[in-house]
């Protein structure tokens, strides 16, 4: 009993002390709080705002039917996603001039519309060394077997899917074939994601020959809209609050022919006045420290002309 009475007494004392403390702080608190403005006097500066929507847009000269509600909302969704995906979009805007300088003349020479460079953007963010979880590689995200079908060399020592020029040539070959099949650059772009066979099957099942009328699954249905969104943002970055102060310049290179085996690419690099790291940076398609070239195939090795930038 005595222990219980003592505990009860202590609890009462502690409670009284807490009440007194609260009263003291309430009485001496001098903080004042301004009332929130109301009516027309309130000036709110939102961090984010609605996205700018173009009145008209096309892909490879083919008009996008923005008068359709579903098309307009699908494009707006991709514009929002990429306009507020700040770190990736800024990196793309900075990298694009250097990579586009390589892609554009190849696409033009192969009669592929210039807009297809934005397909490469959504595939790889223009990173020549990117590898997808499914094993697709390089700027154009080409699978191993597809690369071989498109006449790229793909083995343990050399993988031309990482070669910007050669992979662009391969992608152009695929897109030409797709355009010949569908007669539409928009459908050719969609087939780059879904495959010519799958797209043909769905067109037959659904009795449609218009990309915007086809039910193709989320990834392929978003695919062309993603291309359009990057085209719009990269063409008019200021409309989406991107103000890029730096852009990667096109780097002059010299090509050195190699038609023999190379025991050490590191030795080769030093002979060219650069490091092994720089050699691999400019030639990511070289996959091993050496090259066994019994058939004396001729390879063109890219060497930066301004070597001081890498020392």
């Amino acid at each position: 009993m005595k222990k219980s009475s003592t505990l009860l007494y202590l609890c009462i004392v502690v409670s009284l002390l807490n009440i007194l403390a609260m009263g003291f702080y309430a009485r001496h608190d001098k903080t004042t709080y301004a009332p929130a403005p109301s009516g027309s006097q309130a000036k709110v500066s939102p961090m984010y705002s609605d996205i700018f929507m173009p009145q008209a847009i096309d892909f490879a000269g083919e008009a996008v039917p923005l008068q359709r509600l579903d098309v307009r909302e699908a494009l707006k969704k991709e514009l929002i996603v990429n306009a507020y995906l700040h770190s990736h979009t800024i990196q793309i805007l900075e990298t694009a001039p250097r990579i586009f300088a390589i892609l554009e003349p190849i696409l033009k020479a192969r009669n592929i519309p210039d807009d297809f460079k934005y397909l490469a953007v959504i595939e790889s963010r223009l990173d020549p060394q990117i590898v997808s979880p499914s094993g697709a590689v390089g700027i154009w995200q080409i699978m191993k077997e597809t690369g071989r079908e498109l006449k790229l060399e793909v083995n343990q020592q050399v993988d031309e899917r990482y070669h910007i020029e050669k992979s662009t040539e391969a992608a152009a070959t695929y897109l030409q074939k797709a355009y010949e099949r569908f007669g539409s650059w928009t459908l050719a772009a969609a087939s780059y994601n879904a495959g010519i066979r799958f797209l043909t099957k769905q067109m037959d099942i659904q009795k449609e020959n218009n990309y915007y009328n086809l039910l193709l699954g989320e990834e392929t249905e978003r695919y062309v809209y993603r291309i359009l969104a990057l085209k719009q943002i990269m063409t008019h970055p200021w409309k989406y609050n991107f103000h890029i102060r730096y852009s990667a310049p096109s780097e002059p290179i010299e090509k050195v022919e190699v038609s023999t085996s190379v025991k050490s690419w590191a030795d080769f690099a030093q002979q060219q006045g650069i490091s092994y790291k720089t050699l691999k940076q400019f030639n990511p398609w070289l996959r091993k420290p050496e090259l066994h070239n019994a058939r004396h195939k001729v390879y063109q090795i890219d060497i930066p002309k301004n070597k001081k930038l890498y020392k």
Side-chain angles (χ1 to χ4, degrees):
M1 285 293 287
K2 289 183 178 180
K3 290 183 177 180
S4 299
S5 298
T6 303
L7 288 173
L8 179 61
Y9 174 77
L10 287 173
C11 289
I12 293 170
V13 171
V14 170
S15 298
L16 288 171
L17 289 172
N18 284 333
I19 292 169
L20 288 170
M22 291 171 64
F24 175 83
Y25 284 115
R27 187 174 180 179
H28 291 82
D29 186 3
K30 302 297 183 181
T31 305
T32 58
Y33 299 93
S38 59
S40 60
Q41 294 179 349
K43 294 183 179 180
V44 180
S45 298
M47 184 177 296
Y48 302 112
S49 59
D50 200 6
I51 209 74
F52 173 82
M53 278 291 292
Q55 293 301 308
I57 192 170
D58 69 273
F59 176 72
E62 299 173 3
V64 179
L66 288 182
Q67 73 278 4
R68 288 176 47 165
L69 179 62
D70 58 338
V71 171
R72 191 169 181 84
E73 288 184 348
L75 176 58
K76 186 172 184 179
K77 175 182 178 179
E78 300 306 324
L79 283 169
I80 291 170
V81 168
N82 289 282
Y84 291 120
L85 196 64
H86 295 99
S87 59
H88 285 171
T89 306
I90 289 170
Q91 288 175 344
I92 288 168
L93 287 166
E94 290 186 349
T95 303
R98 177 177 295 163
I99 303 299
F100 281 177
I102 301 171
L103 270 52
E104 288 169 350
I106 297 174
L107 294 175
K108 183 177 181 179
R110 296 293 298 272
N111 295 316
I112 303 296
D114 188 67
D115 279 355
F116 277 93
K117 67 190 180 187
Y118 300 109
L119 185 151
V121 173
I122 70 162
E123 283 287 343
S124 63
R125 302 196 303 272
L126 302 180
D127 181 352
Q129 304 206 46
I130 197 167
V131 181
S132 77
S134 63
V137 160
I139 291 285
W140 295 93
Q141 287 291 276
I142 299 173
M143 297 292 289
K144 184 180 292 185
E145 291 307 315
T146 304
R148 289 170 176 159
E149 290 172 7
L150 294 170
K151 311 302 181 185
L152 293 177
E153 183 177 352
V154 182
N155 54 52
Q156 290 186 339
Q157 294 187 109
V158 171
D159 191 340
E160 291 179 336
R161 294 179 296 164
Y162 292 94
H163 196 298
I164 298 178
E165 292 94 336
K166 291 191 176 183
S167 65
T168 303
E169 291 280 1
T173 297
Y174 177 93
L175 293 168
Q176 285 173 330
K177 179 181 177 182
Y179 181 73
E180 288 169 6
R181 167 64 185 84
F182 299 116
S184 161
W185 288 116
T186 306
L187 286 170
S191 79
Y192 197 88
N193 177 257
I196 292 175
R197 188 175 301 174
F198 173 82
L199 197 58
T200 299
K201 180 180 178 181
Q202 291 304 314
M203 290 170 67
D204 291 341
I205 292 171
Q206 299 178 42
K207 303 185 187 306
E208 293 284 355
N209 60 3
N210 184 324
Y211 170 80
Y212 301 101
N213 291 337
L214 286 165
L215 183 68
L216 297 170
E218 182 181 9
E219 185 177 348
T220 308
E221 284 183 34
R222 292 179 62 182
Y223 195 74
V224 171
Y225 295 108
R226 290 174 62 206
I227 298 172
L228 290 168
L230 265 300
K231 173 186 176 180
Q232 175 68 13
I233 292 169
M234 295 178 74
T235 306
H236 310 286
W238 59 92
K239 292 183 179 180
Y240 300 91
N241 203 30
F242 289 104
H243 304 277
I244 305 303
R245 294 182 177 86
Y246 169 84
S247 59
S250 179
E251 292 187 272
I253 60 168
E254 55 185 357
K255 292 185 178 291
V256 177
E257 281 193 359
V258 171
S259 58
T260 61
S261 295
V262 177
K263 292 183 179 180
S264 168
W265 283 118
D267 290 342
F268 176 90
Q270 290 184 0
Q271 291 166 8
Q272 300 300 321
I274 58 175
S275 68
Y276 177 70
K277 177 181 178 180
T278 300
L279 178 74
K280 292 297 293 290
Q281 180 179 337
F282 280 81
N283 302 273
W285 51 276
L286 297 173
R287 306 309 297 169
K288 293 290 183 179
E290 69 286 327
L291 174 70
H292 303 296
N293 190 11
R295 296 183 179 181
H296 297 282
K297 181 178 178 178
V298 177
Y299 294 96
Q300 301 283 342
I301 310 300
D302 289 344
I303 307 295
K305 285 188 176 180
N306 195 347
K307 300 172 185 178
K308 292 182 180 179
L309 292 176
Y310 299 93
K311 290 184 177 181

